[in-house]
Amino acid sequence: MDSGRSTALLLLLQIILLPIGCAREAPRRPPAPADRVFLNGAVHTLDPDRPRASAVAVRAGEIVFVGMDDGARAHLGPETRVMDLGGRMLLPGFHDAHAHLISGAFLELHCNLTGAVEIDDLRARLMRCAQAAGWGEDRWILGGGWDLLAFPDGRPDSAMLDAIVPDRPVYLHSAFGHSAWVNSRALRLAGIDAGTPDPPAGRIERDPATGEPIGVLRDAAMRIVERAIPEHPLEERVRWLRAGIALAHRLGITSLVEPGLDETLIEPYAELSRRGELDLRVLASLSPRAWHPGALDEDVHDLLAARDRFRGPNLNVDSVKVYMDGVIETGSGVLLKPYAGRGSFTGEPFHTQEEIDALVRRFDGQGLQVHVHAVGDRAVRMALDAFEGARDSNGRGDNRHHIVHLQLVHPDDAPRFAELGVIANVQALWAYPDPWATDLALPLLGEDRYRRMYPLASILGAGGILAGGSDWFVSSLNPLDAIEVAVRRQDPESTGGEVLNASERVELAAILKAYTLNGAYLMRQEDRVGSIEVGKRADLIVLDRDLFAVPPHEINRSRVVLTLFDGEEVYAAD
């Protein structure tokens, strides 16, 4: 073919294809106007492909744009609400992977002894509680938050309660939730006397001379009195839950794992879900013994078999709570080596290895996530061994099991979290030298183990996944308190002071991920929330400052300005 004919054919093809090319270059339609646009911000997205941005647009509860201000302006319309962040921080909503929300709200509304470490303060608060209305046929006084440090050896007795409230039953759980303080009237109603045996995984504290109960119940023994307390009506429990959710929103929490819900405590969640009013994403870890420590019995299988009746919008019930031990401060944590000064005593696990192996294997085979309380290093190892056994029996699944608290982890076990795919559910707020650590844990553990407490960086450095939880009502629900301690390992209310093992500090970005994307992963919702990406739901929070631009000791001074859940405003600061 000669060159002239070739040129003519090329020209003809260009003419024929010209409309197609023009169609490709046609301007796109502008996007539909957004409901909300955030501009001029420090947007920390948790998206590895775009970790930082300045603008976000939201429409119909969905994130439709993440990028720079100029791009976001294309989403403006006459009804769009625009927020100039002025350099403030925009984050995904916080996930709290371990919070007793409904019980904490109950405490806020009843006899609250939190923070009272002086006897005179305790007595004054108890006298105010005695004047308040009680509940039930015998007008129970309920609440808690009392501190072990307020009493010698963490052992109050019923005498103080009897003097203030001689005729009404009183039940008050400790700040850590592993002990209860009751008066004589409550002991009588529960049928507890010198002849009552200690239950499995529990202890009734007694007068060493007479054997009579002194009014303190540990772990599973708490349930003996609780069974005598009348149940509150459903609407009353719904009121507690609403109060808890409102507090969570003020602190930027949009998703939460509630550990150890029995039928009484999960019903309020299910009721709000049925009404379409549960504006919190919740994973309920079920337990027939509620959040209280103790061994499980066959009741757990009945509760799990019937769990679908609670399932609903924003409420996932495919998780179960199991306790391996109690707490080190009362000697119920389970250690690999003996407690200091207590001979060969290492603590008694709530399950034998054979029992926990069988439980975890069964739950894992049912597709359930297992949420294990383990504080001491032996309890942690037993839980990890159980997860390894379940993997060997059932194959490697995707149930996203997790171990919570992890006060002590043997160095040999830190890499096993990554190897087994077990999430480390950490309460970083405890990882500094407060009086619970220095006055209670240190004498029981000795210096070496004390310095190894809460090994966040060790687990993270070995490839493990950290998820952040508060354990509220035990400690502050504010994620920023725990985030600061994870970074500093110092008192969050100070600008300096003693450090609890500086080598276990973690970077700010890592602990923010623990409270957002990793929490979403634990809850099986990382495809919908946990990061700021186009197509995800608009669970978003605005902080009053950029955490990466302030000194670490100012992290918990930041405040939440705005919380969105599914794009709807659920909290706005005045």
Side-chain angles (χ1 to χ4, degrees):
M1 183 180 296
D2 61 45
S3 60
R5 293 177 65 185
S6 299
T7 302
L9 283 171
L10 287 172
L11 289 171
L12 180 61
L13 284 170
Q14 288 174 358
I15 293 168
I16 294 170
L17 296 175
L18 184 60
I20 299 174
C22 290
R24 288 176 179 168
E25 297 300 324
R28 296 179 180 177
R29 291 182 180 180
D35 300 322
R36 287 180 179 268
V37 168
F38 298 93
L39 299 171
N40 190 26
V43 182
H44 189 65
T45 68
L46 278 297
D47 175 6
D49 295 329
R50 187 197 290 271
R52 300 285 282 191
S54 67
V56 171
V58 174
R59 183 173 63 249
E62 182 179 303
I63 299 169
V64 295
F65 174 85
V66 181
M68 306 309 291
D69 289 6
D70 288 344
R73 290 192 176 94
H75 295 264
L76 296 177
E79 304 297 324
T80 302
R81 298 179 65 178
V82 180
M83 184 174 187
D84 185 339
L85 293 171
R88 289 176 292 187
M89 194 172 207
L90 185 69
L91 281 170
F94 287 133
H95 286 59
D96 190 321
H98 187 93
H100 305 283
L101 190 67
I102 191 166
S103 298
F106 168 86
L107 179 58
E108 291 287 317
L109 297 170
H110 291 80
C111 186
N112 190 350
L113 305 179
T114 302
V117 293
E118 301 295 334
I119 292 297
D120 288 345
D121 187 9
L122 271 172
R123 186 177 285 109
R125 293 201 202 186
L126 288 167
M127 291 180 71
R128 289 196 295 271
C129 293
Q131 297 166 5
W135 173 254
E137 184 179 349
D138 291 283
R139 297 175 57 234
W140 285 76
I141 295 174
L142 305 173
W146 56 273
D147 200 315
L148 294 177
L149 292 166
F151 304 96
D153 300 320
R155 283 165 52 102
D157 60 42
S158 57
M160 181 190 296
L161 295 179
D162 290 344
I164 297 170
V165 192
D167 56 340
R168 296 167 59 190
V170 181
Y171 175 93
L172 305 166
H173 61 72
S174 68
F176 260 20
H178 287 257
S179 300
W181 182 20
V182 300
N183 67 350
S184 297
R185 174 70 173 147
L187 289 171
R188 288 194 298 272
L189 284 172
I192 298 175
D193 56 26
T196 305
D198 289 346
R203 185 170 78 250
I204 300 168
E205 297 285 9
R206 306 171 191 273
D207 184 302
T210 66
E212 292 291 334
I214 66 169
V216 178
L217 311 169
R218 309 290 191 193
D219 297 313
M222 300 162 67
R223 296 285 284 178
I224 305 174
V225 172
E226 286 180 351
R227 286 194 289 267
I229 300 173
E231 185 176 294
H232 288 74
L234 176 59
E235 281 304 317
E236 180 73 2
R237 287 173 276 148
V238 168
R239 184 173 73 90
W240 308 341
L241 180 55
R242 288 189 189 280
I245 292 173
L247 176 58
H249 288 159
R250 288 200 298 275
L251 299 173
I253 297 168
T254 55
S255 291
L256 178 137
V257 179
E258 170 90 68
L261 290 178
D262 62 11
E263 187 167 344
T264 299
L265 293 180
I266 196 174
E267 279 181 339
Y269 281 105
E271 181 63 23
L272 283 185
S273 179
R274 283 190 290 267
R275 297 176 188 177
E277 299 173 6
L278 183 58
D279 48 2
L280 191 72
R281 304 187 199 280
V282 177
L283 172 60
S285 289
L286 302 177
S287 170
R289 295 185 178 224
W291 49 263
H292 300 285
L296 296 175
D297 51 31
E298 284 300 314
D299 290 347
V300 69
H301 303 298
D302 296 336
L303 178 62
L304 292 169
R307 71 186 184 278
D308 280 343
R309 72 181 189 271
F310 304 118
R311 192 187 307 278
N314 298 329
L315 181 57
N316 181 355
V317 293
D318 294 325
S319 179
V320 59
K321 173 78 178 289
V322 179
Y323 279 89
M324 279 308 308
D325 63 352
V327 293
I328 287 169
E329 292 77 10
T330 65
S332 57
V334 178
L335 307 179
L336 288 168
K337 293 183 178 179
Y339 281 84
R342 297 190 63 178
S344 61
F345 179 71
T346 59
E348 291 293 329
F350 292 170
H351 302 279
T352 67
Q353 189 67 59
E354 292 74 18
E355 289 169 344
I356 189 64
D357 287 351
L359 278 172
V360 171
R361 185 168 58 248
R362 179 171 177 175
F363 295 147
D364 179 72
Q366 294 172 328
L368 289 162
Q369 180 190 86
V370 185
H371 180 149
V372 179
H373 168 115
V375 167
D377 48 8
R378 184 182 169 204
V380 173
R381 179 168 291 179
M382 292 176 72
L384 288 169
D385 287 349
F387 288 128
E388 184 172 354
R391 181 199 63 182
D392 293 344
S393 296
N394 301 333
R396 183 180 289 274
D398 189 33
N399 291 332
R400 306 185 189 186
H401 305 304
H402 49 120
I403 303 176
V404 63
H405 302 322
L406 303 166
Q407 185 168 351
L408 274 182
V409 180
H410 192 278
D412 292 347
D413 289 322
R416 298 181 68 196
F417 287 86
E419 293 166 4
L420 296 170
V422 175
I423 300 164
N425 188 334
V426 298
Q427 286 59 63
L429 180 56
W430 305 343
Y432 76 96
D434 69 348
W436 282 78
T438 57
D439 298 353
L440 294 178
L442 175 58
L444 293 171
L445 296 176
E447 187 72 24
D448 178 63
R449 287 185 294 189
Y450 168 76
R451 292 292 171 189
R452 290 195 288 107
M453 293 198 309
Y454 308 110
L456 278 62
S458 294
I459 294 171
L460 186 64
I465 295 175
L466 299 183
S470 65
D471 204 17
W472 192 65
F473 55 88
V474 170
S475 51
S476 167
L477 186 63
N478 187 354
L480 294 168
D481 291 337
I483 288 167
E484 180 174 319
V485 173
V487 173
R488 296 179 56 215
R489 308 279 293 201
Q490 292 172 296
D491 184 345
E493 300 306 318
S494 73
T495 59
E498 186 182 352
V499 176
L500 180 60
N501 196 350
S503 67
E504 293 295 345
R505 287 169 165 162
V506 299
E507 297 291 333
L508 175 58
I511 195 64
L512 282 176
K513 187 176 181 182
Y515 265 96
T516 53
L517 189 58
N518 288 357
Y521 174 81
L522 183 151
M523 294 179 66
R524 294 178 175 275
Q525 57 184 26
E526 76 279 8
D527 59 331
R528 293 180 289 135
V529 291
S531 61
I532 301 176
E533 300 180 61
V534 172
K536 287 194 172 184
R537 303 307 296 170
D539 291 5
L540 303 171
I541 61 173
V542 177
L543 303 184
D544 64 1
R545 68 198 76 183
D546 180 357
L547 299 182
F548 289 93
V550 299
H553 66 263
E554 291 187 10
I555 289 172
N556 79 329
R557 299 181 190 178
S558 179
R559 293 293 177 264
V560 174
V561 174
L562 178 72
T563 303
L564 300 185
F565 179 81
D566 254 343
E568 296 295 326
E569 184 178 295
V570 291
Y571 171 74
D574 293 336

